[in-house]
Amino acid sequence: MWDCPSMPIDSRAAEAALDVRPITPTTGAEIHGVRLSGDLPAATVTAIRDALLRHRVVFFRGQRHLEEAEHQAFARLLGPLVPHPTVPSLAGTEAVLDIDAENARASRWHTDVTFVPAFPQFSVLRGVVIPPVGGDTVWANTVAAYETLPPLLRGLADQLWALHSNAYDYGAARPEATTRQLQRYETVFKSTVYETEHPVVQGHPLTGERAIILGYFVRRLLGISTADSAHLFAMLQDHVTRLENTVRWRWSTGDVVMWDNRATQHKAIDDYGQQPRIVRRVTIDGPVSVGIDGRHGTRRNSAAQVPAAA
């Protein structure tokens, strides 16, 4: 795993080097005039990363030239790639996750892969097949969510830990799921069960900012009753996803979206019926989570359930 020291965001450098157009005051910006590739100049990569750290999510239109190899090559400029821990990468690739709505729909608020101790730093998602209507994705700024909590609630959140896992009652959570989706969850996504304890408030590994890390992989908050856990989780999660903290993106084929996975949650809106929707994601490795008291996230013992599907 990589380990990057805390460093300040030089947002002025990003604004000067790129055509960056904020979408909301807190979250999201479009970047224009850049053709993404694996051979971008170092100064451009630095400017993109600075814009990403400042705006949390950045959007690029018209990147239809990207295919799997170049998608990975570009993402690798930001750090080592990391494949999904249970879902096999797209055939012939190192770390491309094929997200096909026919198999699964990421329609619950989540931060990517928080069920492992060192979950991804950045995610780079590419629109491959986009429905003509519907299928937008929404992101929430979890740093802004923390900063706008009342001081008493911040003090409480600072002390909380949560158990994250990729094992849950998929059928109850997704009663509309198809037999194919249920089977894929059981045999692929849950092929190895992970359980990891994370601090709810974590220090960002690059900026030092504090962010609330919750989302759909949380099974419960630790050290309190099940009922209290459910109430506290709902309160904090609702605060994270307030409209003031969010940005919504209407996809077109060839769009590329990058987000700071340590400072956001996201969800795909499941409003497109049986229309095909395929997006492909590459993630950049991140360090083990760290709470504000310096304690690190810890994986509990877990065992393989069934072999992952090829």
Side-chain angles (χ1 to χ4, degrees):
M1 298 296 177
W2 67 318
D3 187 13
C4 292
S6 177
M7 59 184 70
I9 305 171
D10 186 358
S11 59
R12 291 171 299 178
E15 298 288 350
L18 298 175
D19 181 4
V20 180
R21 306 176 191 178
I23 298 174
T24 82
T26 63
T27 312
E30 289 191 47
I31 298 179
H32 294 262
V34 176
R35 187 179 191 273
L36 299 179
S37 71
D39 57 2
L40 285 176
T44 301
V45 176
T46 298
I48 290 173
R49 192 200 64 167
D50 287 349
L52 176 57
L53 291 173
R54 180 184 181 196
H55 297 284
R56 317 300 179 188
V57 191
V58 293
F59 305 90
F60 301 84
R61 293 283 194 190
Q63 306 295 317
R64 288 174 176 262
H65 62 281
L66 284 184
E67 295 184 354
E68 275 61 59
E70 198 73 1
H71 185 172
Q72 291 182 120
F74 165 69
R76 201 175 283 113
L77 297 176
L78 295 167
L81 306 187
V82 56
H84 193 278
T86 61
V87 181
S89 299
L90 189 67
T93 72
E94 174 189 349
V96 174
L97 181 66
D98 188 51
I99 305 171
D100 187 336
E102 186 177 352
N103 296 322
R105 302 192 179 200
S107 55
R108 300 293 187 272
W109 283 107
H110 66 285
T111 295
D112 286 336
V113 200
T114 57
F115 48 85
V116 300
F119 55 99
Q121 174 67 67
F122 301 126
S123 293
V124 184
L125 189 67
R126 181 173 116 253
V128 178
V129 177
I130 302 300
V133 178
D136 296 0
T137 304
V138 187
W139 285 263
N141 182 335
T142 61
V143 173
Y146 178 81
E147 291 174 347
T148 55
L149 274 176
L152 285 175
L153 292 181
R154 282 204 304 268
L156 173 60
D158 288 343
Q159 302 174 58
L160 293 173
W161 282 66
L163 178 67
H164 297 239
S165 179
N166 61 326
Y168 50 90
D169 189 343
Y170 187 87
R174 294 287 307 276
E176 75 286 359
T178 65
T179 300
R180 179 190 182 99
Q181 291 167 347
L182 288 166
Q183 183 180 29
R184 182 174 173 81
Y185 168 74
E186 290 292 339
T187 62
V188 180
F189 192 82
K190 207 176 75 172
S191 56
T192 298
V193 171
Y194 291 86
E195 292 187 334
T196 297
E197 296 179 4
H198 285 297
V200 167
V201 177
Q202 298 180 16
H204 191 284
L206 297 180
T207 69
E209 297 168 296
R210 294 182 180 182
I212 297 172
I213 305 298
L214 288 172
Y216 195 64
F217 293 124
V218 172
R219 303 279 65 81
R220 66 179 184 276
L221 301 177
L222 300 173
I224 57 178
S225 71
T226 301
D228 288 341
S229 168
H231 288 307
L232 274 175
F233 173 84
M235 178 192 68
L236 291 170
Q237 181 66 25
D238 287 347
H239 186 79
V240 168
T241 59
R242 291 192 312 165
L243 289 179
E244 293 83 353
N245 295 331
T246 65
V247 64
R248 177 168 175 163
W249 186 249
R250 168 87 278 267
W251 286 92
S252 295
T253 300
D255 288 354
V256 171
V257 184
M258 301 170 56
W259 63 92
D260 183 345
N261 196 52
R262 296 302 184 98
T264 57
Q265 289 185 30
H266 62 280
K267 64 175 291 185
I269 299 175
D270 187 359
D271 60 353
Y272 49 95
Q274 298 306 308
Q275 298 176 91
R277 183 182 186 274
I278 299 173
V279 292
R280 290 178 179 157
R281 190 186 79 199
V282 175
T283 52
I284 289 86
D285 203 3
V288 173
S289 65
V290 182
I292 63 174
D293 61 359
R295 290 191 293 159
H296 291 77
T298 304
R299 180 181 171 188
R300 292 183 174 183
N301 291 334
S302 57
Q305 306 298 300
V306 295

